[in-house]
Amino acid sequence: MRNYLEKLMNKQNLSLDEMKDATTQCFRDTVSDSEIAALLIGLRAKGETADEIAGIVEVIRRESLQATNQIPNVMDNCGTGGDGSNSFNISTTAAFIIAGAGVTVAKHGNRSISSKTGSADVLEHLGISLSLSKEQVEEILAENNIAFLFAPHVHPKIKRFMKVRKDLRIPTIFNLIGPLTNPVELNTQLLGVNKRDVLPMMAESLGKLGRKRAIVINGAGYMDEASLAGDNHISLLDQGKITAFTIHPSDVDLPVYSNDQIRGGDAKENAEILLSVLKGNPGPHLDTALLNAGLGLFANGTAASVKDGVEMARESVVSGAAIEKLQRLISYSKKIPSEVI
């Protein structure tokens, strides 16, 4: 560990293998909390690279109790958070629309950190279990195309990292990697980030982690979701090649709304918004969810274009397929003994 810390102090990047080794050591009692803090601070001060991000993610996924590659053609859609927009749970809502369009979604998420309500908060309010076992996740994904994986439940071994993060009270590499640590082996991904300058680096990281296709997006107003407020900046990863482009709502026949019009509230209010969207009630919440679901379907390769993806997303809602995915997940959760987390 000392050699790695000295490299970081000298502003030298760690290779992917070096980052994997450093992270592996952090899971052992021989490494102190101070050394973990030094590693996180050193990476932050130098600036993280795609290799360093991929390295730490590979080890965290390996150490997860629920790591699995048993589900074919599965994706996730999630943002890093931290954009300060206090929007409703956009990616969570869009996940059910994507699943309703026939794509398998392993939705990875957490409780509220920077926003009022995290994905876990709103789904728990709706009656969805946060404590699915690996076998239950695989079963419900096969049956219903969507399951929720609660980050603290699937990553119990990273408590030391979380303690150090809390003590440091500054942004670290963990502010970037949360959505990448999904323990399910993903083929494709839609990833939202709140910083525009990291788009290509995060796309490169996804490629190193084995994603065949992925979209990394920074929305209008620097949201970590696609926004209807203006141009959305995108890096598309497709078979190892990364290209950049922008999407404006008018490009996909959607209206323009300000980001203030998609603000959310507490878990109860955001659950009501989610249900309203899946029932097809028109307005900025529905249109925002359709844009994000359309991008997810394009990222997955199911849709040939973002515009086609938006139309597929609309059909998922209108047909009732999207809300059926939610209802089935709630019904499945009711059969599982509750566990307080």
Side-chain angles (χ1 to χ4, degrees), residues 19-136:
M19 191 66 209
K20 287 168 65 175
D21 184 46
T23 307
T24 300
Q25 291 186 46
C26 291
F27 282 94
R28 300 172 184 161
D29 293 337
T30 52
V31 171
S32 68
D33 287 354
S34 295
E35 288 174 301
I36 294 175
L39 178 68
L40 299 182
I41 292 170
L43 289 166
R44 173 71 177 182
K46 174 187 68 62
E48 298 89 347
T49 67
D51 277 337
E52 290 162 349
I53 289 171
I56 191 172
V57 167
E58 280 194 28
V59 175
I60 290 173
R61 289 192 66 258
R62 185 186 68 206
E63 294 289 337
S64 170
L65 299 184
Q66 297 199 15
T68 178
N69 60 358
Q70 299 301 308
I71 310 298
N73 193 24
V74 62
M75 74 171 295
D76 191 6
N77 68 316
C78 189
T80 59
D83 62 12
S85 67
N86 290 319
S87 61
F88 76 103
N89 297 94
I90 297 170
S91 62
T92 306
T93 306
F96 290 101
I97 301 175
I98 294 169
V103 175
T104 303
V105 183
K107 187 74 181 78
H108 185 244
N110 210 333
R111 295 195 185 277
S112 172
I113 296 175
S114 59
S115 60
K116 289 184 178 180
T117 308
S119 55
D121 301 305
V122 70
L123 293 178
E124 184 180 49
H125 183 83
L126 288 165
I128 291 171
S129 174
L130 304 185
S131 55
L132 294 176
S133 68
K134 175 181 174 180
E135 292 73 24
Q136 288 166 337

Side-chain angles (χ1 to χ4, degrees), residues 16-291:
L16 190 147
D17 286 339
E18 287 175 330
M19 191 66 209
K20 287 168 65 175
D21 184 46
T23 307
T24 300
Q25 291 186 46
C26 291
F27 282 94
R28 300 172 184 161
D29 293 337
T30 52
V31 171
S32 68
D33 287 354
S34 295
E35 288 174 301
I36 294 175
L39 178 68
L40 299 182
I41 292 170
L43 289 166
R44 173 71 177 182
K46 174 187 68 62
E48 298 89 347
T49 67
D51 277 337
E52 290 162 349
I53 289 171
I56 191 172
V57 167
E58 280 194 28
V59 175
I60 290 173
R61 289 192 66 258
R62 185 186 68 206
E63 294 289 337
S64 170
L65 299 184
Q66 297 199 15
T68 178
N69 60 358
Q70 299 301 308
I71 310 298
N73 193 24
V74 62
M75 74 171 295
D76 191 6
N77 68 316
C78 189
T80 59
D83 62 12
S85 67
N86 290 319
S87 61
F88 76 103
N89 297 94
I90 297 170
S91 62
T92 306
T93 306
F96 290 101
I97 301 175
I98 294 169
V103 175
T104 303
V105 183
K107 187 74 181 78
H108 185 244
N110 210 333
R111 295 195 185 277
S112 172
I113 296 175
S114 59
S115 60
K116 289 184 178 180
T117 308
S119 55
D121 301 305
V122 70
L123 293 178
E124 184 180 49
H125 183 83
L126 288 165
I128 291 171
S129 174
L130 304 185
S131 55
L132 294 176
S133 68
K134 175 181 174 180
E135 292 73 24
Q136 288 166 337
V137 167
E138 292 174 352
E139 179 183 12
I140 194 62
L141 284 175
E143 291 179 1
N144 193 47
N145 282 5
I146 186 167
F148 181 69
L149 295 93
F150 181 45
H153 178 66
V154 301
H155 298 297
K157 295 184 180 181
I158 65 169
K159 288 181 179 178
R160 288 186 69 200
F161 281 108
M162 296 303 99
K163 177 185 179 298
V164 170
R165 280 187 74 194
K166 186 176 180 180
D167 290 344
L168 287 175
R169 293 187 293 180
I170 60 172
T172 69
I173 194 170
F174 278 87
N175 293 78
L176 294 173
I177 67 171
L180 279 62
T181 60
N182 192 320
V184 175
E185 192 72 36
L186 304 176
N187 299 89
T188 56
Q189 188 159 3
L190 172 62
L191 170 67
V193 295
N194 62 27
K195 294 181 178 181
R196 201 157 290 169
D197 59 352
V198 302
L199 287 171
M201 179 186 70
M202 295 304 289
E204 184 182 352
S205 300
L206 289 170
K208 291 178 180 292
L209 290 167
R211 309 296 190 267
K212 305 305 180 187
R213 274 178 65 91
I215 279 178
V216 186
I217 185 164
N218 177 254
Y222 292 90
M223 286 188 65
D224 70 327
E225 314 274 4
S227 163
L228 295 171
D231 285 330
N232 297 276
H233 293 253
I234 291 169
S235 283
L236 169 67
L237 169 73
D238 187 8
Q239 302 297 328
K241 181 181 178 182
I242 298 172
T243 54
F245 63 98
T246 60
I247 285 284
H248 188 273
S250 61
D251 297 332
V252 292
D253 297 333
L254 288 173
V256 173
Y257 292 102
S258 74
N259 288 336
D260 288 340
Q261 292 175 274
I262 55 170
R263 285 182 177 271
D266 59 17
K268 181 177 183 295
E269 184 177 349
N270 279 15
E272 290 170 351
I273 293 172
L274 186 152
L275 289 170
S276 174
V277 168
L278 297 188
K279 290 175 182 177
N281 294 332
H285 296 114
L286 173 62
D287 288 339
T288 299
L290 292 179
L291 175 58

